[in-house]
């Protein structure tokens, strides 16, 4: 339905667009499934850390980590 597509575009698409930008436009730099999974996991970790820093700030994120 159109309403669900609009909701999906607003919630999911920006996340995947950012991941695609972080991961060199979706091209992985390694060969093999295990290596590709590791590279994608690092990209997701980087995205999540960016979100934490944007929400809490650097000092807040460091305070929560320690």
């Amino acid at each position: 339905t159109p309403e669900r597509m609009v909701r999906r575009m607003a919630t999911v698409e920006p996340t995947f667009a950012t991941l695609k930008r972080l991961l060199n436009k979706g091209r992985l730099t390694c060969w093999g499934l295990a290596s590709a999974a590791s590279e994608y996991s690092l990209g997701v970790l980087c995205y999540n850390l960016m979100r934490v820093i944007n929400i809490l700030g650097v000092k807040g994120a460091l305070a929560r980590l320690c």
Side-chain angles (χ1 to χ4, degrees):
T1 60
E3 297 86 19
R4 291 183 76 179
M5 287 299 294
V6 169
R7 185 173 163 199
R8 176 179 175 240
M9 286 174 33
T11 57
V12 175
E13 295 298 330
T15 304
F16 283 106
T18 304
L19 278 173
K20 194 171 183 179
R21 181 177 47 90
L22 287 172
L23 293 171
N24 194 20
K25 297 189 171 97
R27 291 180 176 249
L28 300 177
T29 58
C30 55
W31 289 66
L33 187 59
S35 298
S38 298
E39 187 174 349
Y40 201 80
S41 294
L42 286 173
V44 171
L45 177 65
C46 180
Y47 175 79
N48 287 334
L49 285 174
M50 283 185 352
R51 295 258 310 151
V52 166
I53 289 172
N54 284 334
I55 292 170
L56 298 177
V58 175
K59 289 182 181 178
L62 289 175
R64 298 268 178 121
L65 287 174
C66 297

